[in-house]
């Protein structure tokens, strides 16, 4: 397939920060793709360039894009990677690269009269012949702490408690029907909102970066108690998840956890306590992004089929780090964020490695999102265990859920 025109345009994400969008046309079709941005980014992620810099690189590559007849996704992505030529994608920028890669996938699927998830699935089958398409479990982030929390200025002086150290608190409906799952998280979101109003002044309840609630909880246990009470009271078929994003509260070998400096051993005991007390299904980035050993220690201690210990900043959707995590027995699942690596081909490669090594995949949005729904198609196409798309409100989050429901229909 020849590309006829390629354009790079600026766009604001859900945090009103600048990101970018690509428009590609073939002779017959025109498609768009935009990319998100993280805030608690792992230091090993591929590099995203600021828009003006990205535009300078794009100006250099875009005419070359018109000269090749790209026969496959791999072909196109290889062209981008070779043109970039760097390990961390800083020449073209992983953000531009991913927007191009997704737009190319959309163009190819239009040409082939295929849905994007089918196109992805077909690409994936060449690596994992036994792969099945399926709707993922919804790992819905309803309470935002850490770098994603949002607090009024009166908040600290009034409550004298630290903001939540953990970044995300999820509910995870364990139902196969994604529309039913979405209904459950919407219901939980509304009930949680009403419950929080009974604890806090409405002026102190804010919306965090991923559209979950932020409020002066006195500890993570308070959030977990509220979640478990709701789940029990209404018999919701749901588990609970946490993304600690521990690199964000790590400094010089210690963790600043709920206003107190603690060691990694103390943090590990806290996790064991939480796992013993609550119906925890999912624990992401419990330790600093380079501490594979502590992940392994925790994993060994709490090993169970029903608990996912998940790498995000640890593994950054990149093969060498996922391989290291596997070698060290550090995790049994990894977050899959396409913009951590740059192209769809690399994403499919790393997911096939995960599956071959007994790990589950959880496709994920970023905290600064756009209206692009590619991760929903990706999750279905690779048969991911789960998807993280935030709270089911605000367009940048809800379009991902709606796309999943539409696919399942
Ligand atoms: P980020 O956070 O998009 O700000 O990096 C999401 C996450 O840590 O999972
Ligand atoms: Zn994370």
């Amino acid at each position: 397939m020849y590309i006829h025109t390629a354009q790079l345009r600026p766009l604001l994400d859900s945090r009103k920060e600048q990101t970018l969008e690509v428009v590609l046309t073939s002779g017959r079709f025109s498609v768009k793709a935009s990319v998100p941005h993280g805030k608690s980014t792992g230091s090993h992620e591929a590099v995203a360039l600021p828009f003006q810099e990205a535009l300078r690189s794009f100006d250099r590559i875009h005419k070359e894009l018109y000269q090749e007849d790209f026969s496959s996704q791999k072909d196109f992505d290889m062209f981008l990677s070779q043109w970039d030529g760097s390990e961390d994608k800083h020449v073209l920028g992983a953000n531009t690269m991913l927007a191009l890669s997704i737009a190319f996938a959309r163009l190819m699927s239009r040409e082939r009269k295929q849905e994007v998830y089918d196109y992805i699935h077909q690409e994936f089958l060449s690596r994992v012949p036994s792969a099945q398409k399926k709707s993922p479990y919804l790992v819905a982030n309803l309470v935002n702490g850490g770098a994603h929390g949002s607090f009024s200025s009166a908040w600290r002086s009034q409550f004298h408690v630290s903001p939540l150290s953990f970044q995300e608190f999820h509910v995870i409906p364990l139902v196969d029907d994604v529309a039913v799952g979405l209904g459950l998280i919407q219901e939980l979101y509304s009930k949680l909102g009403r419950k929080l109003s009974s604890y806090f002044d409405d002026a102190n309840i804010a919306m965090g970066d991923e559209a979950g609630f932020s409020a002066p909880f006195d500890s993570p246990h308070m959030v977990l108690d509220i979640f478990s009470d709701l789940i029990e009271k209404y018999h919701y078929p749901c588990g609970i998840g946490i993304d600690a994003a521990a690199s964000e509260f790590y400094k010089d070998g210690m963790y600043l956890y709920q206003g107190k400096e603690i060691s990694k051993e103390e943090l590990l005991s806290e996790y064991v306590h939480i796992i013993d007390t609550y119906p925890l299904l999912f624990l992401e980035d419990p330790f600093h992004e380079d501490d594979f050993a502590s992940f392994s220690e925790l994993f060994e201690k709490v090993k169970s089929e029903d608990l996912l210990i998940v790498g995000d900043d640890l593994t950054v959707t990149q093969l060498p780090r996922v391989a290291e995590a596997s070698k060290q027995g550090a995790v049994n699942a990894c977050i899959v964020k396409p913009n951590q690596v740059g192209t769809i081909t690399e994403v499919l490669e790393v997911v096939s490695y995960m599956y071959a090594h007994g790990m589950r995949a959880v496709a994920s949005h970023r905290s600064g999102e756009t209206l692009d729904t590619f991760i929903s198609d990706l999750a279905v196409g690779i048969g991911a265990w789960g998807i993280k798309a935030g709270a089911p409100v605000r367009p940048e989050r809800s379009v991902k859920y709606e796309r999943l429901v539409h696919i399942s229909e």
Side-chain angles (χ1 to χ4, degrees):
M1 179 178 67
Y2 280 99
I3 291 171
H4 282 215
T5 62
Q7 238 188 308
L8 189 75
R9 307 200 292 216
L11 184 74
L12 291 182
D13 70 15
S14 53
R15 267 195 292 260
K16 311 285 175 275
E17 282 168 13
Q18 202 170 41
T19 180
L20 53 83
E21 154 176 277
V22 155
V23 185
L24 286 188
T25 65
S26 63
R28 294 191 292 170
F29 302 109
S30 167
V31 297
K32 287 197 291 196
S34 58
V35 291
H37 266 299
K39 191 194 257 178
S40 65
T41 47
S43 53
H44 304 284
E45 294 189 19
V47 172
L49 296 179
F51 181 74
Q52 290 304 331
E53 262 179 68
L55 195 57
R56 281 196 284 278
S57 296
F58 188 79
D59 281 344
R60 285 168 42 223
I61 192 178
H62 94 280
K63 292 236 164 67
E64 289 179 46
L65 289 173
Y66 307 156
Q67 282 152 23
E68 306 244 350
D69 182 7
F70 297 107
S71 61
S72 67
Q73 187 72 37
K74 207 170 176 176
D75 205 16
F76 184 73
D77 290 344
M78 285 274 282
F79 172 84
L80 298 179
S81 295
Q82 277 166 7
W83 193 92
D84 174 85
S86 70
E87 204 147 288
D88 61 4
K89 320 280 165 64
H90 73 273
V91 180
L92 182 53
N95 44 349
T96 306
M97 230 167 169
L98 180 64
L100 281 166
S101 185
I102 294 174
F104 182 82
R106 290 204 167 111
L107 217 41
M108 281 295 260
S109 32
R110 293 287 292 277
E111 291 284 345
R112 292 180 185 173
K113 298 190 175 57
Q114 251 180 337
E115 289 280 351
V116 173
Y117 62 88
D118 270 327
Y119 169 81
I120 294 292
H121 185 65
Q122 214 168 54
E123 288 288 310
F124 194 52
L125 279 178
S126 66
R127 297 166 189 277
V128 184
S130 61
Q132 303 278 334
K133 277 181 287 188
K134 76 164 193 64
S135 291
Y137 288 133
L138 308 178
V139 182
N141 179 10
L142 301 192
V143 168
N144 298 178
H148 297 167
S150 167
F151 311 102
S152 67
S153 50
W155 188 91
R156 274 170 223 244
S157 51
Q158 197 182 339
F159 286 93
H160 305 292
V161 294
S162 313
L164 291 168
S165 299
F166 296 155
Q167 180 177 280
E168 302 175 7
F169 294 81
H170 317 102
V171 292
I172 311 168
L174 292 173
V175 293
D176 293 330
D177 186 326
V178 75
V180 174
L182 178 59
L184 288 174
I185 61 174
Q186 288 167 340
E187 211 173 301
L188 267 154
Y189 187 82
S190 317
K191 288 200 159 74
L192 180 63
R194 283 198 289 278
K195 191 133 183 167
L196 295 185
S197 293
S198 70
Y199 287 107
F200 308 113
D201 194 281
D202 279 347
N204 285 312
I205 304 173
M207 187 183 270
D209 284 27
E210 295 192 356
F213 295 103
S214 261
F217 297 99
D218 56 23
S219 75
H221 296 262
M222 183 178 179
V223 182
L224 297 168
D225 283 331
I226 294 174
F227 277 17
S228 338
D229 289 351
L230 282 173
I231 289 171
E232 227 171 83
K233 181 169 173 195
Y234 296 99
H235 305 288
Y236 289 125
C238 290
I240 293 177
I242 292 175
D243 178 4
S247 295
E248 296 291 316
F249 58 97
Y250 174 87
K251 201 168 174 231
D252 303 330
M254 298 294 278
Y255 292 92
L256 187 63
Y257 179 66
Q258 298 302 126
K260 233 177 86 187
E261 258 201 8
I262 64 170
S263 65
K264 59 184 181 191
E265 291 78 14
E266 289 171 299
L267 186 59
L268 191 141
S269 307
E270 171 70 341
Y271 291 130
V272 172
H273 173 63
I274 288 174
I275 291 162
D276 287 344
T277 316
Y278 302 100
L280 204 79
L281 262 189
F282 178 103
L283 178 56
E284 179 180 335
D285 280 348
F287 298 100
H288 177 257
E289 63 189 354
D290 289 321
D291 190 0
F292 287 90
S294 292
F295 274 76
S296 314
E297 207 178 311
L298 175 69
F299 187 60
E300 215 26 66
K301 246 200 175 95
V302 298
K303 215 185 226 164
S304 135
E305 262 299 294
D306 301 327
L307 173 64
L308 299 193
I309 302 291
V310 188
D312 171 17
D313 294 347
L314 181 82
T315 41
V316 291
T317 321
Q318 293 186 23
L319 203 50
R321 296 195 60 94
V322 171
E324 187 58 30
S326 164
K327 198 173 104 200
Q328 295 205 29
V331 296
N332 55 356
C334 293
I335 292 294
V336 176
K337 289 174 174 167
N339 76 332
Q340 285 180 328
V341 62
T343 63
I344 292 176
T345 299
E346 287 161 292
V347 168
L348 300 183
E349 185 183 15
V350 76
V351 176
S352 61
Y353 182 95
M354 288 176 200
Y355 288 1
H357 292 80
M359 297 178 186
R360 284 164 165 158
V362 181
S364 173
H365 68 159
R366 302 303 304 246
S367 52
E369 261 299 335
T370 72
L371 294 172
D372 198 285
T373 54
F374 176 73
I375 58 149
S376 304
D377 286 77
L378 175 70
V380 173
I382 61 172
W385 179 89
I387 188 169
K388 290 193 359 176
V393 286
R394 288 294 174 98
E396 292 84 0
R397 314 292 158 191
S398 44
V399 286
K400 274 76 164 170
Y401 290 114
E402 283 157 18
R403 175 68 185 152
L404 286 170
V405 171
H406 186 70
I407 292 173
S408 80
E409 282 165 355

